[in-house]
Amino acid sequence: MRTALTLLMVLAVAAIPGALLPQRPNQPFEVEAWIEQRPTLGGLYDAVGLFDVYASPWFAAIYLLLFVSLIGCIVPRTRVYWRALRAQPPRTPRNLGRLPASARATSSRPAAEVLEQAAARLRSRRFRVVVREDSVAAERGYLREAGNLVFHLSLVVMLVGLAVGALGGYRGSVVLPVGQSFANTISQYDDITAGGRFDPTSLPPFAITVEEFVAEFETGPVQQGAARVFRADLQVTEAPGEQPYDYTLEVNRPLVVEGVDVHLIQHGYAPVVTVRDGNGDVAFSGAVPFLPQDGNFTSAGAIKAPDARPEQLAFQGFFLPTAAVDELGPRSLFPDAFAPELFLNAWYGPPREESGVPENVYSLDVTGLEQMTTEDGSDSLRLRLAPGESVELPDGRGSITMDGWERWVKLQISDTPGLGVTLGSVVAAVLGLCLSLFVRPRRIWVRARTTPDGGTAVEVGGLDRADARTGLEEDVEELAGHLGEEHDTARTVPVGSGEDGS
């Protein structure tokens, strides 16, 4: 048990880096940026697996050792508990007055009748009772150890459920501007992490279209800019050929399709732009998601037109939903789009061959590109566009137009096969813990002897088998009072207490 508790504490400590550091399965670009900013420390962390804690060998080793330790704790305790269930309550001690709580009483009834009454009284209180020659032995509280075993067994089942979910489950995300659709296939995900037993062909064939996204923010003087409403109106088709239906997706109201959960986890803005190249052809047209950087949704992103000719074009900058330019530079004053503007730097370069290497769509790799400058070449070219505005690029390289803007939503699609098992084991663990905390394992003995004057002397003694329990003395006194006409209490003083009688 001590080993299991130690491993449980070690597991909790080992999970801390997973909460403090970006994790590669969920935040791959943040991990790369972290390593770039701190190459020495980042390389060390990456080597020991701190950027993917829950899939690292050392975390799995702790996990498995805890699993083995819990089983090693449960098996011997189960054997002991089984023997205790089959055993009778222990024999009555010779001197009941030395127990932690004891009481004496006298009765005019025969001793056999007193013992029979004591046995009936104790059975009504759910004690297991054995009547012997001149005494009654009773015991209860067997569910306390059962609660302990249920708690530990639930931890094992929970670990199994987590392992099943980690091996067979998956979690992916996709960014969808309003009006665009998503089909549940591997190629449609922006990023996805899955367990070793995950089968991509088992994905439910549903499709989602984002019809509208509504975001409302507080405009009053109190908590100005605070989020009030986030709601995405979806059209869902669960299988090809089936009739689509509407669903309103909210932060705490996920969509569930064939056991797969679809959560709304983020939103932002996507400026709609059209880029024309030096030949006058449309090299790019559409909505480009930009990532929020602060509470006022100052959003950063990149617009890429690799097919532009004779030179490829690229732009990097900020979308400001409520734009203002002051001594602090361009910034957004409010998260809603009251005065949207697009601030960009422009780049150009020779056409680049496709390498097949994945690239971050939210940032620009300027390798092989040159930044455009003003006509006199004294400064970098800075573009400022409002919806409907267009800017001609210098030296006849083309133009860029801000057609407008859309909102985008980020959806998380996940399936955790062992979730029901894990949840059930957590509930069972709580119930087992409650049993172990609140059930009182207690033993009570009653002895009745005939006195020389023909009466019956009754002795009652009690013992709690768990520390910090209350009510034992009261129960013993109440039972003695019920069995006899007169009673008094006697409580043994521990040896060495310094009180009289020590």
Side-chain angles (χ1 to χ4, degrees):
M1 185 63 188
R2 188 181 298 111
T3 302
L5 290 174
T6 302
L7 288 171
L8 191 62
M9 183 185 68
V10 172
L11 190 70
V13 172
I16 292 176
L20 299 180
L21 296 173
Q23 297 297 289
R24 186 168 277 112
N26 302 326
Q27 302 168 298
F29 301 122
E30 287 83 349
V31 171
E32 297 304 323
W34 206 98
I35 295 175
E36 288 179 6
Q37 294 172 4
R38 311 166 183 83
T40 303
L41 191 60
L44 175 62
Y45 284 179
D46 198 19
V48 298
L50 294 185
F51 294 118
D52 195 2
V53 168
Y54 308 112
S56 63
W58 51 268
F59 192 85
I62 300 172
Y63 183 96
L64 292 174
L65 284 173
L66 177 60
F67 187 85
V68 173
S69 179
L70 285 172
I71 294 177
C73 176
I74 292 171
V75 171
R77 291 184 67 167
T78 302
R79 289 199 296 262
V80 173
Y81 181 59
W82 175 250
R83 287 197 296 267
L85 285 177
R86 300 179 63 186
Q88 292 185 348
R91 287 190 166 276
T92 305
R94 181 175 301 177
N95 187 355
L96 294 179
R98 300 186 62 181
L99 294 177
S102 61
R104 297 184 180 89
T106 57
S107 175
S108 58
R109 292 170 298 163
E113 184 178 338
V114 170
L115 293 178
E116 183 179 348
Q117 183 182 7
R121 182 76 170 181
L122 290 169
R123 288 192 183 98
S124 67
R125 295 185 176 184
R126 299 186 300 278
F127 279 83
R128 190 168 61 176
V129 177
V130 173
V131 180
R132 296 189 173 95
E133 296 177 356
D134 62 345
S135 66
V136 172
E139 186 175 14
R140 72 176 182 187
Y142 294 94
L143 285 179
R144 182 174 187 270
E145 182 60 15
N148 281 328
L149 294 173
V150 168
F151 174 75
H152 290 88
L153 185 61
S154 298
L155 291 181
V156 173
V157 176
M158 181 176 65
L159 292 176
V160 172
L162 292 173
V164 170
L167 289 173
Y170 73 94
R171 180 172 60 188
S173 64
V174 60
V175 172
L176 290 178
V178 172
Q180 294 191 12
S181 300
F182 164 80
N184 191 31
T185 60
I186 287 291
S187 61
Q188 293 277 300
Y189 285 90
D190 293 336
D191 61 80
I192 185 170
T193 58
R197 305 288 294 178
F198 169 68
D199 181 10
T201 62
S202 66
L203 291 174
F206 65 85
I208 296 172
T209 300
V210 182
E211 299 286 340
E212 185 181 8
F213 180 76
V214 178
E216 296 179 4
F217 302 91
E218 179 61 52
T219 57
V222 180
Q223 293 186 332
Q224 188 177 68
R228 290 293 178 256
V229 175
F230 293 144
R231 183 179 70 247
D233 295 329
L234 308 179
Q235 188 177 74
V236 183
T237 304
E238 294 197 1
E242 290 191 4
Q243 188 70 20
Y245 60 90
D246 296 329
Y247 188 86
T248 299
L249 186 66
E250 296 177 330
V251 174
N252 294 318
R253 187 169 175 256
L255 168 69
V256 181
V257 182
E258 296 186 30
V260 176
D261 297 324
V262 181
H263 290 266
L264 174 64
I265 61 174
Q266 196 177 5
H267 71 99
Y269 292 96
V272 181
V273 298
T274 299
V275 178
R276 293 184 179 273
D277 60 20
N279 297 330
D281 299 324
V282 175
F284 176 83
S285 181
V288 183
F290 276 41
L291 292 180
Q293 305 297 307
D294 57 27
N296 286 328
F297 277 72
T298 298
S299 303
I303 302 167
K304 304 173 186 180
D307 296 329
R309 296 295 182 269
E311 297 171 311
Q312 65 166 316
L313 301 174
F315 307 86
Q316 187 175 33
F318 294 92
F319 175 83
L320 309 181
T322 302
V325 180
D326 51 22
E327 63 277 3
L328 298 177
R331 59 194 181 98
S332 178
L333 300 179
F334 195 78
D336 213 343
F338 292 142
E341 290 190 62
L342 193 57
F343 293 78
L344 297 172
N345 293 326
W347 302 76
Y348 70 98
R352 184 183 302 173
E353 294 184 3
E354 294 291 340
S355 63
V357 178
E359 186 176 327
N360 188 348
V361 298
Y362 304 109
S363 63
L364 179 63
D365 182 5
V366 298
T367 303
L369 300 178
E370 294 185 33
Q371 190 169 5
M372 294 186 190
T373 60
T374 55
E375 292 183 0
D376 59 7
S378 60
D379 197 6
S380 300
L381 180 65
R382 293 180 174 84
L383 307 179
R384 180 177 181 180
L385 297 168
E389 292 184 350
S390 180
V391 173
E392 294 290 331
L393 302 177
D395 301 326
R397 291 191 174 93
S399 66
I400 180 170
T401 302
M402 182 180 177
D403 302 314
W405 58 273
E406 294 282 1
R407 295 185 186 273
W408 59 261
V409 297
K410 186 174 185 179
L411 305 179
Q412 177 180 284
I413 300 97
S414 61
D415 181 23
T416 308
L419 186 60
V421 174
T422 304
L423 180 60
S425 63
V426 170
V427 173
V430 173
L431 293 176
L433 188 61
C434 290
L435 287 175
S436 65
L437 290 176
F438 298 114
V439 171
R440 298 181 176 183
R442 179 169 291 176
R443 290 172 176 171
I444 290 181
W445 294 273
V446 178
R447 176 179 286 117
R449 293 177 179 174
T450 303
T451 59
D453 59 2
T456 300
V458 181
E459 293 182 274
V460 181
L463 174 67
D464 267 340
R465 300 183 62 197
D467 296 332
R469 299 296 184 183
T470 59
L472 175 63
E473 295 184 11
E474 291 78 3
D475 287 350
V476 169
E477 292 180 14
E478 191 273 337
L479 179 60
H482 178 76
L483 297 176
E485 289 82 14
E486 296 183 2
H487 78 280
D488 61 349
T489 61
R491 184 170 179 272
T492 303
V493 180
V495 176
S497 65
E499 300 180 17
D500 292 342
S502 61

